[in-house]
Amino acid sequence: MYRKHIYCERKFLEICISAIENWKIENCSFRELELWMSIKSMVLSSDIILHLDVSLDDFDVIENKRGKGLSGIEKQLLKIYEQQHTGKTHLKLSDRFVTLDTIDFTENTQLTACYLTCSDSETCRLCMEKYGVVAINPEIIMDFGLVLRDNGVAIKKNKEADWNKALKPFPCNSLILIDNYIFCDSVMAKENLGKIFDSLLPIKLDLNVPFQISIFTPLKSSDKKNDIESQPCYNETAAMIGELRPDLYFKLSIFKCKSDKFHDRTIITNNSYISCAGGFDLINSGKSSKTTIVNVVYPYFRGSINWASHAYSNLINEVSEVAESATTFKPNSEYLSGFYIGNKENRLFSK
């Protein structure tokens, strides 16, 4: 099972627990309380791997105080420590704790992690901008209100539609797109993918963090009888991204898989989950070809969207299996499935 890594400083968790315990309606907005509660639920979740800057000696000190009165943070730390034995939490202690200043760009788990920190706001913003990770400190927590809800939209057939309005930018450094029909019509593919990438991709990242894009599709034409040529499709997509983001160092791969391998049409980044039942080839000349719904959620932040982390994990597990077995594209394999063209690397499924 895929689990997201969360690096949480003890001081941050202490502020979180205190904010919840001492909440008063007159001095704290309900939205802020929701955010703190969402973060607490994430930290206590069995769906993540939690890294704390706490040592075993610290837990021994807390254990020795049991019965003498524990503070709110001590109670939570003890709960986290005890629950790891039952699988309710997955805890890693401070011997390998990573701060915003010590992120290792060669470690996929660190570049796809979320950082709950007391580093200053400017450091957090710079890390999100340069590395595409989520970094939250208590001062900027209100900037993350969108993680509590589905931020999607309802779209009506034959009405004006725009991916730039349907999708909201959020820090990211990797993306996976799954859609059996995205390349069926080259004109619609360019219109839709152009807007989608323009909505989601950062202007640029640090050169140590190439933005990794992987597209999973059968590469079939609209009549499902003919295969779309892989190399031209790859070249056109890479050129389009290059035009949209001339300052972004990116790596692209297209995986040709069987049409029955994936059913849902989904985009995931290292921090978001986006689905569209009508598909990502939805818009034609600025209008929607179908009535549908776009879901935009942020897994692992527990609000009213409890299914999201499992959907995200399930998809990464399935994509990993397909990617692991995929072979390098060769001209004589054009009409087969199970190959990739481009750069196979993606930190979301690379081991």
Side-chain angles (χ1 to χ4, degrees), residues 17-295:
I17 300 304
S18 177
I20 294 170
E21 291 182 343
N22 299 315
W23 181 76
K24 291 182 175 61
I25 195 166
E26 64 269 18
N27 62 9
C28 179
S29 74
F30 184 65
R31 176 59 62 89
E32 183 177 347
L33 176 64
E34 282 186 293
L35 282 163
W36 285 122
M37 292 178 67
S38 175
I39 287 173
K40 178 185 173 184
S41 295
M42 176 173 67
V43 168
L44 293 174
S45 169
S46 62
D47 297 332
I48 62 116
I49 295 176
L50 177 64
H51 299 257
L52 286 172
D53 56 347
V54 178
S55 68
L56 282 172
D57 289 342
D58 293 324
F59 283 109
D60 288 339
V61 171
I62 295 172
E63 180 65 38
N64 291 334
K65 288 178 63 178
R66 193 196 290 267
K68 301 176 184 178
L70 299 177
S71 65
I73 180 61
E74 289 172 332
K75 290 176 183 176
Q76 290 302 321
L77 288 173
L78 203 56
K79 181 178 181 180
I80 292 168
Y81 184 72
E82 291 174 343
Q83 285 187 344
Q84 70 172 327
H85 301 298
T86 61
K88 290 183 179 180
T89 56
H90 302 275
L91 180 63
K92 300 287 185 181
L93 298 182
S94 59
D95 57 330
R96 292 200 64 192
F97 190 79
V98 179
T99 67
L100 296 181
D101 296 323
T102 61
I103 294 175
D104 183 345
F105 303 116
T106 66
E107 288 286 340
N108 293 324
T109 55
Q110 294 181 26
L111 285 174
T112 55
C114 173
Y115 295 85
L116 306 176
T117 177
C118 288
S119 296
D120 64 88
S121 299
E122 184 61 20
T123 298
C124 290
R125 291 194 175 97
L126 280 174
C127 282
M128 289 189 281
E129 180 182 317
K130 292 176 64 176
Y131 310 136
V133 299
V134 166
I136 305 176
N137 78 5
E139 293 179 3
I140 61 173
I141 188 171
M142 292 299 289
D143 294 347
F144 293 86
L146 74 172
V147 304
L148 296 171
R149 304 285 183 269
D150 185 334
N151 294 272
V153 295
I155 298 175
K156 192 173 182 181
K157 184 177 181 179
N158 295 327
K159 296 293 183 180
E160 289 187 3
D162 189 340
W163 287 115
N164 286 129
K165 295 179 180 178
L167 304 177
K168 296 174 174 60
F170 200 70
C172 61
N173 57 44
S174 46
L175 180 149
I176 296 171
L177 186 148
I178 299 169
D179 192 323
N180 285 350
Y181 307 101
I182 190 63
F183 292 118
C184 283
D185 184 303
S186 60
V187 175
M188 288 181 67
K190 187 172 183 179
E191 177 180 5
N192 285 270
L193 282 177
K195 291 288 189 179
I196 289 169
F197 289 143
D198 192 40
S199 301
L200 299 177
L201 269 55
I203 300 300
K204 66 177 181 179
L205 294 175
D206 187 281
L207 289 177
N208 290 306
V209 186
F211 196 99
Q212 298 169 336
I213 303 167
S214 302
I215 300 174
F216 291 77
T217 182
L219 287 174
K220 292 288 186 182
S221 60
S222 55
D223 59 12
K224 298 183 181 180
K225 295 179 181 179
N226 301 307
D227 290 71
I228 296 167
E229 290 188 35
S230 308
Q231 191 68 58
C233 184
Y234 174 87
N235 292 344
E236 290 169 10
T237 304
M240 176 180 61
I241 298 170
E243 290 176 9
L244 286 168
R245 294 291 188 269
D247 296 324
L248 179 66
Y249 173 36
F250 69 91
K251 294 183 178 182
L252 171 68
S253 56
I254 296 178
F255 289 80
K256 183 175 181 179
C257 51
K258 293 182 179 179
S259 56
D260 62 352
K261 188 60 185 176
F262 299 104
H263 177 267
D264 293 347
R265 302 162 90 170
T266 311
I267 295 172
I268 59 173
T269 74
N270 50 304
N271 292 311
S272 61
Y273 180 101
I274 302 162
S275 65
C276 179
F280 297 109
D281 57 346
L282 179 70
I283 299 172
N284 187 2
S285 300
K287 293 188 176 181
S288 175
S289 60
K290 302 167 188 172
T291 294
T292 191
I293 297 172
V294 179
N295 299 103

Side-chain angles (χ1 to χ4, degrees), residues 2-19:
Y2 174 86
R3 290 186 172 89
K4 191 175 186 69
H5 290 251
I6 308 294
Y7 289 89
C8 179
E9 295 174 10
R10 174 177 175 158
K11 182 63 177 177
F12 180 97
L13 185 58
E14 186 174 357
I15 292 171
C16 174
I17 300 304
S18 177

Side-chain angles (χ1 to χ4, degrees), residues 324-339:
E324 187 174 355
S325 62
T327 57
T328 307
F329 167 72
K330 297 176 182 177
N332 60 2
S333 65
E334 185 72 66
Y335 302 107
L336 303 175
S337 297
F339 67 77

